[in-house]
């Protein structure tokens, strides 16, 4: 059994298909006790033969369609085979939030394990995760 805590880890394993889809192991909690705060989901993660990418993810939802906050680690992927490493996702929980969803995602083939999961309120000094996008030019370049 793959574990770092000694309690047994959770895992996702690709079994069959084209290997072009993804799967996620997900937990949902009420946002009520976290409103107006910054939260961090952290876990130890290990991969084996991951063809696309794997990583932690978190989404904050409200009453209206669409997410209030989201991050899925795709810009900081774990690929191939890796030993245990600590990863985290940190997001703000707006006052209008109703649900916080978090977990691990595996895109493509391979297997990923997570262990030593924690979910906690952190200070505003801990940076929020956001996608690192390429900066657009300030003027036309044509």
């Amino acid at each position: 059994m793959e574990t770092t805590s000694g309690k047994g880890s959770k895992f996702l394993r690709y079994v069959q298909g084209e290997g072009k889809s993804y799967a996620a192991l997900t937990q949902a909690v009420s946002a009520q006790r976290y409103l107006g705060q910054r939260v961090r989901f952290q876990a130890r993660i290990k991969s084996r033969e991951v063809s696309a990418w794997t990583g932690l993810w978190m989404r904050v939802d409200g009453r209206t369609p669409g997410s209030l906050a989201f991050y899925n680690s795709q810009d900081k992927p774990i690929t191939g085979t890796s030993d245990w490493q600590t990863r985290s996702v940190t997001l703000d929980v707006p006052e209008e939030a109703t649900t916080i969803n978090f977990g691990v995602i595996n895109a493509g083939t391979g297997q990923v394990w997570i262990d030593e999961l924690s979910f906690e309120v952190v200070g505003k000094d801990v940076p929020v995760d956001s996608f690192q996008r390429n900066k657009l030019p300030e003027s036309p370049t044509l």
Side-chain angles (χ1 to χ4, degrees):
M1 175 185 294
E2 297 288 338
T3 184
T4 60
S5 67
K7 299 178 183 178
S9 60
K10 290 75 178 151
F11 69 91
L12 289 170
R13 178 176 52 224
Y14 170 82
V15 177
Q16 66 181 11
E18 296 180 26
K20 296 180 182 178
S21 60
Y22 71 91
L25 181 62
T26 304
Q27 170 75 53
V29 297
S30 169
Q32 188 62 42
R33 69 187 290 193
Y34 305 104
L35 298 178
Q37 300 184 76
R38 184 165 291 176
V39 296
R40 175 173 54 204
F41 167 51
Q42 183 170 288
R44 302 271 294 158
I45 189 168
K46 177 180 176 174
S47 66
R48 182 175 66 205
E49 300 175 359
V50 171
S51 65
W53 66 278
T54 188
L56 300 181
W57 69 278
M58 184 163 44
R59 186 182 75 229
V60 180
D61 294 330
R63 288 183 174 77
T64 58
S67 62
L68 300 172
F70 175 76
Y71 182 75
N72 73 1
S73 302
Q74 190 172 6
D75 63 334
K76 298 175 189 170
I78 297 171
T79 60
T81 299
S82 68
D83 203 0
W84 290 105
Q85 55 189 285
T86 302
R87 293 290 183 108
S88 65
V89 176
T90 303
L91 293 175
D92 286 329
V93 182
E95 293 291 338
E96 64 272 22
T98 57
T99 309
I100 305 170
N101 302 278
F102 56 92
V104 65
I105 187 170
N106 188 45
T109 62
Q111 185 166 349
V112 59
W113 293 263
I114 58 170
D115 203 358
E116 298 182 48
L117 288 72
S118 65
F119 189 84
E120 63 185 340
V121 173
V122 295
K124 299 293 183 182
D125 58 317
V126 177
V128 170
D129 284 296
S130 62
F131 292 103
Q132 302 300 314
R133 303 193 193 285
N134 293 334
K135 185 177 177 184
L136 294 175
E138 293 183 17
S139 59
T141 58
L142 297 175

